[in-house]
Amino acid sequence: MPVLVKNNNYIIEITGMTHDGQGVGRINGLAVFVDGALEGEEAEIKIIKINKSYAVGKLINVIKPSSDRATPFCNAYKRCGGCSLQHMDYKAQLAFKTKLVRENLERIGGLSGVTVHDTIGMTVPMNYRNKAQFPVAAVNGRVVTGFYAPRSHDVIESEECGIQDVISDRIRKLVGRFIAEKGIPAYDEKTGKGLIRHIVTRVGFNTGEVMVVLVINGSSLPYADELVGILAQTGGSGDSKEGTGDGAGCGRDDGVGAECSVKSIYLNINTKNTNVILGDTNVLLYGSEAITDMIGKYKFKISPHSFFQVNPVQTEVLYELSLKYAGLNGTETVFDLYCGIGTISLFLSDKAARVIGVEVVEAAINDARENAKNNGVTNTEFYVGEAEKVVPELYDRGMRADVVVLDPPRKGCDESLLQLLADMQPDRIVYVSCNPSTLARDLKFLAGHGFNVIEAQPVDMFPWTGHVESCVLITRD
Ligand code: SAH
């Protein structure tokens, strides 16, 4: 057995994958994590970090490739911190995600008999994102717009990003060219000087409405009128060869997506030395204050700060599934906990008697109320606050849910909330999760408190990344 030495090369068998898609093997019993390596492969690696409990290897050469290995479609793949699974065939990614959910339910959740369905993927898993946030920087005196390198803030020029809508790259390039021509300085994180920080785009996939937000370190943008004139002419028309996503977005050559055009342009003022992309102040330069998009038959208002799911095609799949699992007949009271801007609440509203949404971000609740009003929905109510605080208050006031939808952030639910659900005894819980390990932990609690975990359906919301979303049906004993 070789002794592990930093900067030395070793041959390793990759025997497993981590939850975020790194390959794992062992040298001298020590786990070695290798980005870009797949289970079943033999690879030459260079050890770049050694800790007590693990080491990190850099992939030098794949000696025996896995049959799941694919050629990344993006030429910036190795330098970009965005997608991490482009070296894996899409079908294999879906199988990997299914397996991850199943293993978490078994290992962490202690749940062995639960049906985990095959992950629902996208027909064409490209150009699926409706929101792009491109950093802008000067590199050797040249304006660069693109993406951050992995685990760093070095900005790397991107040609085009295959997971963003095509209009987003078009806008990025236009703005990049414009500021280079006019000599408008890019922001420099190290000195805090310079003006343009980020180019943010939001696209209504089903309406074709596009918003551009230029994030600046100052209060005004030179030549703003000229830039607005150019951007306002920008759109996509079906003539694009790049766009191939299934049924959405701008400029698709499959003829399904909407014709798109820029409907709203903002300056966003961010003069703080921070990693947070948007500052608090938005100045409307052109067009409407908000754009609209549809999920199913419901329309949603999108402003620079509003939260909106980034893969609208798969979001609809996920919400349809939640609706199916909720099994509503029109008489139920539903609690939609962690409701964001109320998208799931609205989606369930016409099949339930009453839907009560709870969310900690006040601005999201304001949007939820407005979205309900704009859709003529009158049987929803929204409350601001932590679910674990608000739900006990509602319970004390005598409110009971027949069906509860949970869609918590990565850390999962507070145990006190799960305990309250055990006391309240809803007929069904639909758990929508973006993190299989906290999902499994929470399901273990529910399974130990009178609930049956029936089935889990993973949905691929973020193709080419390690993220796994799943929807789980839970009923009462
Ligand atoms: N259901 C929504 C949003 C899910 S994301 C949708 O489908 O779009 C998770 C949401 O939980 C976020 O909006 C976040 O702000 C909110 N959140 C985080 N912690 C919370 C808590 N303790 N109580 C209520 N909401 C919380």
Side-chain angles (χ1 to χ4, degrees):
M1 276 288 187
V3 177
L4 215 52
V5 179
K6 195 173 161 181
N7 289 328
N8 275 11
N9 286 15
Y10 297 86
I11 308 289
I12 188 171
E13 297 279 343
I14 303 296
T15 50
M17 303 283 290
T18 65
H19 64 93
D20 50 6
Q22 279 181 313
V24 195
R26 284 185 184 272
I27 301 178
N28 276 353
L30 192 69
V32 181
F33 297 103
V34 186
D35 269 340
L38 296 174
E39 188 170 340
E41 291 188 328
E42 186 181 272
E44 181 183 358
I45 59 157
K46 180 191 207 127
I47 293 293
I48 53 175
K49 186 171 166 183
I50 306 177
N51 269 347
K52 261 205 188 116
S53 54
Y54 71 95
V56 178
K58 182 174 184 301
L59 183 63
I60 302 293
N61 179 29
V62 178
I63 298 167
K64 232 197 300 147
S66 154
S67 56
D68 293 339
R69 182 161 284 278
T71 307
F73 56 81
C74 179
N75 58 18
Y77 176 53
K78 288 211 169 120
R79 294 170 295 141
C80 176
C83 305
S84 56
L85 288 181
Q86 276 189 28
H87 57 287
M88 194 190 252
D89 173 71
Y90 188 57
K91 274 213 186 84
Q93 279 174 50
L94 298 177
F96 163 70
K97 293 180 183 188
T98 310
K99 188 171 160 213
L100 200 71
V101 173
R102 186 174 294 125
E103 282 179 357
N104 273 280
L105 294 194
E106 283 171 6
R107 272 201 226 136
I108 301 173
L111 301 159
S112 49
V114 178
T115 307
V116 178
H117 297 285
D118 290 346
T119 303
I120 302 175
M122 299 187 78
T123 324
V124 184
M126 303 297 291
N127 307 104
Y128 62 80
R129 283 185 62 99
N130 61 7
K131 176 182 178 182
Q133 309 188 109
F134 300 109
V136 181
V139 177
N140 302 327
R142 207 170 61 82
V143 173
V144 171
T145 60
F147 51 82
Y148 289 126
R151 296 175 277 274
S152 104
H153 269 206
D154 293 341
V155 180
I156 290 172
E157 181 90 60
S158 143
E159 270 310 307
E160 64 196 29
C161 173
I163 64 168
Q164 295 291 355
D165 192 277
V166 290
I167 187 89
S168 295
D169 265 327
R170 212 171 289 159
I171 288 166
R172 174 181 64 77
K173 286 179 193 163
L174 275 173
V175 175
R177 226 175 285 141
F178 185 86
I179 60 181
E181 260 169 41
K182 300 290 185 196
I184 303 170
Y187 178 67
D188 181 341
E189 277 188 348
K190 294 193 185 86
T191 62
K193 297 213 169 86
L195 191 63
I196 313 268
R197 298 176 71 128
H198 274 88
I199 303 160
V200 177
T201 57
R202 319 238 4 208
V203 185
F205 269 34
N206 291 305
T207 58
E209 296 179 8
V210 179
M211 173 181 280
V212 183
V213 184
L214 304 164
V215 186
I216 59 169
N217 172 42
S219 54
S220 65
L221 177 70
Y223 310 102
D225 290 349
E226 203 178 319
L227 181 57
V228 164
I230 295 170
L231 289 175
Q233 301 295 318
T234 308
S237 60
D239 57 358
S240 155
K241 286 282 163 278
E242 307 104 302
T244 50
D246 44 340
C250 288
R252 297 285 178 249
D253 57 4
D254 55 10
V256 186
E259 290 249 329
C260 69
S261 57
V262 174
K263 293 283 185 217
S264 171
I265 306 174
Y266 274 97
L267 283 182
N268 173 272
I269 314 294
N270 186 357
T271 54
K272 290 191 188 139
N273 184 0
T274 162
N275 284 342
V276 178
I277 293 175
L278 291 181
D280 295 336
T281 311
N282 295 311
V283 181
L284 183 66
L285 291 182
Y286 167 84
S288 336
E289 280 183 9
I291 58 166
T292 305
D293 201 13
M294 312 283 298
I295 299 183
K297 61 181 178 182
Y298 298 100
K299 56 178 191 248
F300 294 91
K301 210 182 103 176
I302 303 170
S303 311
H305 278 93
S306 13
F307 172 82
F308 195 66
Q309 292 275 357
V310 297
N311 182 338
V313 173
Q314 292 297 83
T315 296
E316 194 166 336
V317 172
L318 185 71
Y319 289 178
E320 285 291 354
L321 197 63
S322 312
L323 183 61
K324 186 178 106 185
Y325 281 173
L328 302 171
N329 64 22
T331 60
E332 296 89 350
T333 296
V334 180
F335 283 6
D336 176 16
L337 308 182
Y338 313 88
C339 70
I341 58 167
T343 30
I344 296 180
S345 311
L346 292 196
F347 221 76
L348 303 187
S349 64
D350 71 345
K351 301 281 191 304
R354 183 182 186 200
V355 184
I356 293 166
V358 180
E359 157 66 44
V360 75
V361 175
E362 189 173 357
I365 286 291
N366 293 337
D367 284 350
R369 290 182 181 135
E370 198 175 335
N371 286 327
K373 203 167 120 213
N374 292 342
N375 285 286
V377 172
T378 52
N379 61 342
T380 51
E381 292 154 53
F382 294 98
Y383 296 90
V384 185
E386 290 174 330
E388 57 273 25
K389 297 227 172 80
V390 174
V391 179
E393 286 165 21
L394 300 177
Y395 188 69
D396 285 346
R397 280 161 47 193
M399 279 195 218
R400 300 288 182 272
D402 304 297
V403 176
V404 174
V405 177
L406 300 170
D407 186 4
R410 290 192 66 75
K411 69 175 186 197
C413 297
D414 195 275
E415 195 175 288
S416 65
L417 174 69
L418 299 176
Q419 180 58 55
L420 190 91
L421 297 184
D423 298 341
M424 187 161 59
Q425 304 191 352
D427 297 334
R428 281 164 179 251
I429 298 176
V430 180
Y431 195 134
V432 180
S433 159
C434 57
N435 182 347
S437 63
T438 57
L439 168 70
R441 178 201 67 200
D442 291 351
L443 292 180
K444 181 177 187 179
F445 184 93
L446 291 171
H449 289 77
F451 290 96
N452 296 314
V453 180
I454 306 293
E455 59 182 274
Q457 174 65 71
V459 177
D460 193 22
M461 302 287 278
F462 305 101
W464 315 106
T465 77
H467 293 284
V468 186
E469 192 93 11
S470 20
C471 189
V472 181
L473 170 62
I474 302 146
T475 60
R476 282 210 52 81
D477 277 346

